Amino acid sequence: MTTNQALLDEAKNTNPARAEEIYKQILVSSASPSSVERDQVLRDQGNAMIKLAELYRHQRNAQGLAEVITLSRSFMSSTAKAKTAKLIRTLLNYFNDIPNSRQTQIDVLLDNIDWSKREKRIFLKHSLEIRLVSLQLEVSQFNAALTRIDTLLTELKKLDDKMILTEVHPLESRVYRGIGNLVKAKAALTSTRTAANSIYCPPHLQAALDLQSEILHAEDRDYTTAYSYFYETFENMSSQDDPSALNALKYMLLCKVMLNLPEDVTTLLSVKLAVKYAQLREIECMRAIALAHQNRNLAEFEKVLLRFPFDVQLLSGPTIRSHLAALYDPLLEQNLLRIIEPYSVVEIDRTLKRSELSQMILDKMFYGVLDQGKGRLLVFDEPEVDDTFGTAIDTLEQVGKVVGSLYARVSSFWFCVYNR
């Protein structure tokens, strides 16, 4: 057994502080001239690096994990490029379990992108840049993400790498969606499908493309079409245990609410594929929003938004946030209707602004008049529609058709008579 292997065994059975010292000691050890021993030392260093990163992950130490990635560069210079890319992706994935580490991860990515560029590791650089853009999207750094994407796309088009282009164009679409440019967001998605048609597109990537396409449908307020596509995507993602299936389910529930069908939310969550998500906080929030909409209760809707804050990652996304903002006005109108429906006269001070009521009267959401002098709202019953005039007009139209037909026949008869 080599010295490094003995140290690794010791680190497994000691306290975290001592284990940290051992792993660092292995990382700075030098290899002997023998190729066999040198390979063994590199393997031990790789194992020590992973174990040290795992230790920092358990300790929620983002800065320590960043230092491990920086230390790994000397090790990566002695290994194959494919193994290097796999190792750095593994180390970066450990940040996902450390809360509030996004900015540290962004700094690490920027530093390693510069290193990859200096070392001329182009494919590693592209991989890191894609990850960086995804993080910048999460923290709403749209301008920085767009600048990075423009440069990245220029390089990828020169290389004609369709696979990576299929990954980057959806990010471009999401960035343009984030800044509100839906035309360019759709154009980027079209470019994605063009690139995807010429290669084999993995199922998870195809599902991500479909999900982005459906989000853009929802942005056009075409909720019926968006829902049908969301459902199909949700089925595909659930069968593959894709974490994005939860997003597809949230968007499905959102479409039901926006279509004024909040009662369908409970039925939808009883479907076999959706049952395993039904108890998650995000889904609980959507269920509560649907219930508030069903009850036409604005106060309940506002309480839901306070009860489920942004840390559940429901309202932090631009898609759901924008649609919930659009839901506020119709819910306000429904809340007003619920208040005034039982009465024929309502004191305006007890409801909301007069402008809201007057607009609702103009939109014929209910029938009434504002008595400005007494500060009252007079509510009328919905007038009954008299179909007599409409029926009379329909009858006259049919009589006109009969007369026209008879006239045509008579004209034809006399034309035949005169031409004998």
Side-chain angles (χ1 to χ4, degrees), residues 246-254 282-283 286 313-314:
L246 177 59
N247 288 331
L249 179 58
K250 288 190 295 185
Y251 295 142
M252 286 166 57
L253 301 180
L254 177 68
E282 293 95 327
I283 302 304
M286 290 305 301
Q313 296 182 353
L314 169 67

Side-chain angles (χ1 to χ4, degrees), residues 149-187:
I149 283 176
D150 288 341
T151 305
L152 184 57
L153 284 174
T154 302
E155 295 178 8
L156 292 175
K157 287 174 181 176
K158 290 179 181 177
L159 295 173
D160 197 26
D161 193 329
K162 295 287 195 304
M163 190 64 198
I164 302 182
L165 280 171
T166 308
E167 295 180 20
V168 175
H169 278 305
L171 291 174
E172 182 187 19
S173 179
R174 289 172 57 196
V175 170
Y176 279 123
R177 160 66 188 86
I179 62 179
N181 192 332
L182 297 182
V183 174
K184 288 192 175 182
K186 292 176 182 178

